[in-house]
Amino acid sequence: MQPTDRFWEGVGTGIGESPWWALLGALLIIGVLFVVAKYIYPDHKEIKMRELDIREREADSQQALAENLHGVMESNNYIAREFAAQNAAIGESKARSREMGGDLHRLRDDATHVRETTDRTAEQVDEIHRHIFREGTD
């Protein structure tokens, strides 16, 4: 839809009858609008795009950080389970060692008893031997 010739005649008449300060104001307004449309708005749009890009990067890095933290938590849980298993194995080993220590103590007691019995038997054999051979010589 094109403006008619009458429209342009009206614009021309309006401009011709307007005071100089109104024309200057209109030119200033048009100039400001031109500068805004040509230079400021595209820069503003570019700044908004940069901000959006930065926000997307931040979201990506936060997601990557969350994934890393999840991996660290899984790793910590695995280490905690392994640590608990090792502690349980150490506890079992300590219990077996105590048990073996008790067995060793019993073995020492048995060995001491055998040694004492052997010593007593040896003394009795020596006494019998002395008694037999002394009586035979007397």
Side-chain angles (χ1 to χ4, degrees):
M1 178 175 199
Q2 294 269 340
T4 63
D5 288 337
R6 211 168 141 206
F7 171 78
W8 291 115
E9 284 176 17
V11 170
T13 304
I15 291 174
E17 292 178 4
S18 297
W20 66 268
W21 53 268
L23 291 176
L24 182 62
L27 285 176
L28 283 175
I29 290 173
I30 291 171
V32 168
L33 289 176
F34 176 77
V35 168
V36 167
K38 178 84 174 164
Y39 300 107
I40 295 175
Y41 180 73
D43 287 344
H44 180 72
K45 187 176 181 180
E46 186 176 322
I47 289 170
K48 288 292 185 181
M49 293 302 289
R50 284 183 192 162
E51 287 177 0
L52 181 62
D53 187 45
I54 289 170
R55 286 186 184 141
E56 286 176 0
R57 286 186 204 162
E58 287 175 351
D60 290 344
S61 62
Q62 286 178 356
Q63 183 178 359
L65 179 62
E67 289 172 3
N68 287 341
L69 288 176
H70 181 71
V72 168
M73 288 175 57
E74 285 180 358
S75 178
N76 284 344
N77 290 338
Y78 173 77
I79 289 170
R81 286 191 304 271
E82 287 295 313
F83 184 73
Q86 292 295 326
N87 276 344
I90 288 171
E92 290 173 10
S93 177
K94 283 181 181 180
R96 282 195 307 272
S97 294
R98 278 190 220 104
E99 194 177 292
M100 287 173 28
D103 290 345
L104 183 60
H105 186 65
R106 283 189 293 279
L107 285 174
R108 272 194 215 132
D109 289 347
D110 290 348
T112 303
H113 179 69
V114 168
R115 190 175 317 120
E116 289 171 354
T117 304
T118 304
D119 290 345
R120 218 175 312 120
T121 303
E123 289 173 7
Q124 289 173 352
V125 167
D126 283 342
E127 190 178 321
I128 291 171
H129 186 265
R130 269 180 277 147
H131 185 67
I132 291 175
F133 285 108
R134 272 193 211 149
E135 284 185 16
T137 56
D138 285 348

